[in-house]
C-alpha cells in the first residue's frame, strides 16, 4: 500500500509531545514494515532517520521558516495534488485535521490527541482555537478510523462527539530511550549548565494556562526556607503573562523557582534523573509524556488526577486534585523527607514504564 502522512510535526524546531509521538511511531513503523510505501508530505524539509521505503514530498519553494498555517495551506492544495499523483491508499492525519478533496478511494486515519478545544478552549491560542472549530470536528466525522493516545480521550470522543467506540483505537506513547542515570552526576551537570541548585524539584511543560503553574508557584511560595528549588523546563507559550505576574506578586526569586526555557533533547534525561522529585499539576492532558519520561529516568512523581494522567502514573505516583495547594505542599514534603517512600516510588515507576513500548505502539498503528 501507499501510505501518506502529514509530516509537518517532523519539521518543528523544538521536540515536544506531538512531534515526538509522530517521529517515534514513524521510526519504528519503517524499521519493522518493509511491505508498504510511506509518503511524507510537508511544505518544509525535515530530517528523519531510518527512512526505509519512504518518500518525501516538499514544496519547490520551501524555506527554513515553518508555520502551521503555511504547511496546512500547502498540504490542502499542492499536497493533495501530489497524493493523487502518488496513488495514495491511506492518509494518516497527524494533526487532528484532514485535507479536503482526497482521492475517493483513500482511507483516512486520524490521530486525536486531546479534546482541549472542547473542555478548555479559553486556554488555547486564537489561531488554534479557530482551526479546531472549523477543521477538527469535520475531520473526526470524515475519518474512517481514529487513533487516540489515552483511554480518557477515547471515552471523550464517544461521550462528547458521539464517535462509535469500535471506530477508535488506543495507541499509547512510550518513554523510548529515557533511562535511570546517576542522580548526583546528572544534578551536577544541570547545576553547572543551567545555574540551578543541585537539589531541585522539576516540572516540564510549555508555560501556558492549562499546565496550572500558578498552583506550583503558590506552593513554593509556602516552601520558602525549606531549601527547595523548582525548575520549570519548557518554552514560553501563550496567554501566560498572569503566570509571571503571580511569580512577581509572590515575591519569588530564582532560588525558589527558576524558569529554564526550552531544554534540548540531549539534556532532558539528565534533567529528569537529577531531580529529587517530578511534579505535574496540569488540569488537562491528552496523555502526559513528561510523567512517563520522569518515571523512566528514576524519579518519583506527583501528578494531577485529571483527565488521562492516572493512566500514565497508575499506582506508582501520588495523584492529587490539581487545585489542592495544601495537598501538593504536604505531598512534596512527604516525598522529599521520606527515603523509603522515594525508593518505593522509583521502583514502581520503573516497572510502570515497561507497560509502554514504541515497538508495540508502531505494530498497533
Amino acid at each position: 500500500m501507499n501510505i501518506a502522512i502529514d509530516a509537518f510535526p517532523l519539521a518543528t524546531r523544538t521536540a515536544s509531545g506531538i512531534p515526538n509521538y509522530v517521529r517515534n511511531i514513524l521510526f519504528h513503523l519503517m524499521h519493522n514494515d518493509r511491505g508498504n510505501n510511506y509518503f511524507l508530505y510537508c511544505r518544509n524539509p525535515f530530517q528523519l532517520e531510518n527512512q526505509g521505503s519512504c518518500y518525501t514530498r516538499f514544496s519547490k519553494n520551501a524555506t527554513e521558516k515553518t508555520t502551521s498555517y503555511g504547511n496546512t495551506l500547502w498540504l490542502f492544495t499542492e499536497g493533495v495534488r501530489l497524493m493523487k499523483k502518488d496513488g495514495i491508499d491511506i492518509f494518516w492525519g497527524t494533526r487532528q485535521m484532514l485535507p479536503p478533496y482526497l482521492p475517493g478511494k483513500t482511507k483516512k486515519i486520524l490521530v486525536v490527541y486531546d479534546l482541549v478545544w472542547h473542555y478548555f478552549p479559553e486556554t488555547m491560542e486564537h489561531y488554534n482555537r479557530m482551526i479546531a472549530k472549523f477543521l477538527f470536528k469535520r475531520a473526526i466525522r470524515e475519518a474512517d478510523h481514529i487513533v487516540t493516545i489515552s483511554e480518557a480521550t477515547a471515552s471523550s470522543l464517544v461521550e462528547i462527539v458521539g464517535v462509535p467506540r469500535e471506530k477508535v483505537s488506543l495507541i499509547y506513547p512510550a518513554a523510548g530511550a529515557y533511562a535511570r542515570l546517576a542522580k548526583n552526576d546528572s544534578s551536577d551537570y544541570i547545576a553547572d549548565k543551567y545555574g540551578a541548585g543541585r537539589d531541585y524539584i522539576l516540572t516540564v511543560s510549555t508555560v501556558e494556562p492549562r499546565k496550572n503553574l500558578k498552583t506550583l508557584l503558590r506552593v513554593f511560595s509556602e516552601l520558602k526556607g525549606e531549601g527547595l528549588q523548582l525548575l520549570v523546563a519548557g518554552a514560553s507559550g501563550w496567554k501566560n503573562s498572569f503566570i509571571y505576574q503571580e511569580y512577581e506578586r509572590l515575591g519569588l526569586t530564582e532560588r525558589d523557582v527558576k524558569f529554564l526555557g526550552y531544554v534540548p533533547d540531549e539534556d532532558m534525561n539528565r534533567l529528569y534523573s537529577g531531580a529529587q522529585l517530578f511534579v505535574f499539576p496540569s488540569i488537562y492532558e491528552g496523555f502526559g509524556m513528561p510523567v512517563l519520561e520522569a518515571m523512566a529516568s528514576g524519579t518519583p512523581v506527583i501528578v494531577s488526577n485529571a483527565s488521562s494522567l492516572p493512566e500514565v502514573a497508575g499506582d506508582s505516583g501520588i495523584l492529587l486534585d490539581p487545585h489542592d495547594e495544601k495537598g501538593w505542599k504536604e505531598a512534596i514534603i512527604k516525598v522529599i523527607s521520606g527515603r523509603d517512600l522515594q525508593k518505593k516510588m522509583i521502583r514502581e515507576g520503573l516497572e510502570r514504564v515497561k507497560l509502554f513500548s514504541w515497538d508495540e505502539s508502531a505494530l498497533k498503528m
Side-chain angles (χ1 to χ4, degrees):
M1 291 187 297
N2 293 333
I3 301 169
I5 298 160
D6 178 357
F8 172 64
L10 305 181
T12 56
R13 293 181 179 273
T14 58
S16 57
I18 292 176
N20 281 337
Y21 182 82
V22 175
R23 185 176 296 274
N24 277 288
I25 291 287
L26 269 176
F27 179 88
H28 289 81
L29 262 178
M30 291 185 287
H31 179 74
N32 294 296
D33 178 12
R34 301 299 176 184
N36 295 300
N37 298 313
Y38 293 87
F39 292 79
L40 278 57
Y41 297 84
C42 184
R43 179 178 180 274
N44 301 82
F46 58 87
Q47 292 183 340
L48 181 68
E49 299 175 359
N50 188 43
Q51 291 193 1
S53 300
C54 174
Y55 306 90
T56 52
R57 300 288 187 258
F58 303 121
S59 168
K60 294 179 180 179
N61 301 315
T63 62
E64 289 188 2
K65 186 177 181 181
T66 302
T67 66
S68 178
Y69 173 78
N71 272 271
T72 300
L73 184 62
W74 180 87
L75 180 70
F76 284 16
T77 54
E78 181 66 11
V80 170
R81 187 188 70 79
L82 292 171
M83 285 181 228
K84 292 177 180 178
K85 183 178 178 180
D86 290 331
I88 294 303
D89 300 298
I90 295 175
F91 178 83
W92 172 14
T94 61
R95 288 189 287 154
Q96 305 191 153
M97 62 177 69
L98 296 171
Y101 311 118
L102 285 169
K105 68 181 181 64
T106 305
K107 296 295 184 181
K108 299 175 284 291
I109 295 180
L110 183 73
V111 182
V112 176
Y113 302 96
D114 57 55
L115 268 68
V116 64
W117 47 268
H118 172 80
Y119 290 108
F120 299 99
E122 71 279 3
T123 68
M124 300 176 70
E125 290 179 290
H126 178 72
Y127 171 74
N128 289 333
R129 189 166 66 247
M130 294 297 291
I131 288 293
K133 180 178 180 180
F134 291 108
L135 296 182
F136 288 5
K137 293 180 182 179
R138 180 186 68 81
I140 290 171
R141 290 195 306 268
E142 294 183 358
D144 294 288
H145 200 76
I146 294 173
V147 169
T148 67
I149 59 173
S150 69
E151 182 57 44
T153 299
S155 297
S156 293
L157 281 172
V158 174
E159 296 169 9
I160 303 300
V161 189
V163 177
R165 188 61 181 85
E166 61 272 17
K167 187 181 175 179
V168 183
S169 292
L170 170 59
I171 301 181
Y172 281 126
Y178 283 89
R180 187 180 186 182
L181 306 177
K183 189 166 292 293
N184 289 339
D185 291 345
S186 297
S187 63
D188 286 347
Y189 173 88
I190 296 301
D192 292 341
K193 183 168 182 178
Y194 293 95
R198 281 168 166 76
D199 297 319
Y200 61 86
I201 294 170
L202 176 67
T203 192
V204 175
S205 72
T206 302
V207 182
E208 54 105 339
R210 187 163 44 91
K211 304 303 180 178
N212 193 29
L213 292 174
K214 281 183 70 173
T215 289
L216 289 184
L217 295 182
R218 290 169 179 161
V219 168
F220 275 80
S221 72
E222 293 287 323
L223 291 172
K224 283 186 177 183
E226 299 289 339
L228 302 176
Q229 183 188 39
L230 174 69
L231 299 186
V232 182
S236 181
W238 48 92
K239 296 186 176 182
N240 57 21
S241 59
F242 73 94
I243 297 173
Y244 298 112
Q245 290 168 4
E246 186 74 355
Y247 181 90
E248 296 292 335
R249 187 188 72 80
L250 292 169
L252 295 166
T253 69
E254 289 194 345
R255 288 181 299 178
D256 309 306
V257 180
K258 184 177 178 68
F259 290 89
L260 301 181
Y262 173 74
V263 176
D265 268 4
E266 58 265 26
D267 287 346
M268 286 303 299
N269 201 167
R270 280 183 283 197
L271 181 64
Y272 283 121
S273 292
Q276 299 296 310
L277 172 65
F278 179 80
V279 290
F280 200 67
S282 178
I283 58 175
Y284 182 81
E285 292 291 324
F287 181 75
M289 278 297 300
V291 179
L292 199 64
E293 293 165 352
M295 293 191 296
S297 302
T299 298
V301 301
I302 303 175
V303 301
S304 163
N305 61 8
S307 60
S308 63
L309 292 170
E311 292 180 61
V312 186
D315 295 330
S316 61
I318 295 176
L319 301 175
L320 294 172
D321 183 307
H323 302 295
D324 180 8
E325 294 174 20
K326 180 180 178 182
W328 282 86
K329 176 184 175 182
E330 292 175 349
I332 288 170
I333 294 173
K334 180 180 179 180
V335 175
I336 290 296
S337 61
R339 291 292 182 183
D340 289 340
L341 176 59
Q342 290 174 30
K343 291 178 181 178
K344 177 178 180 292
M345 293 177 70
I346 291 170
R347 183 175 63 253
E348 292 179 352
L350 290 170
E351 285 299 313
R352 178 75 182 172
V353 296
K354 294 178 182 178
L355 301 176
F356 303 87
S357 161
W358 283 123
D359 276 325
E360 182 179 341
S361 294
L363 182 62
K364 288 181 178 180
M365 182 66 79

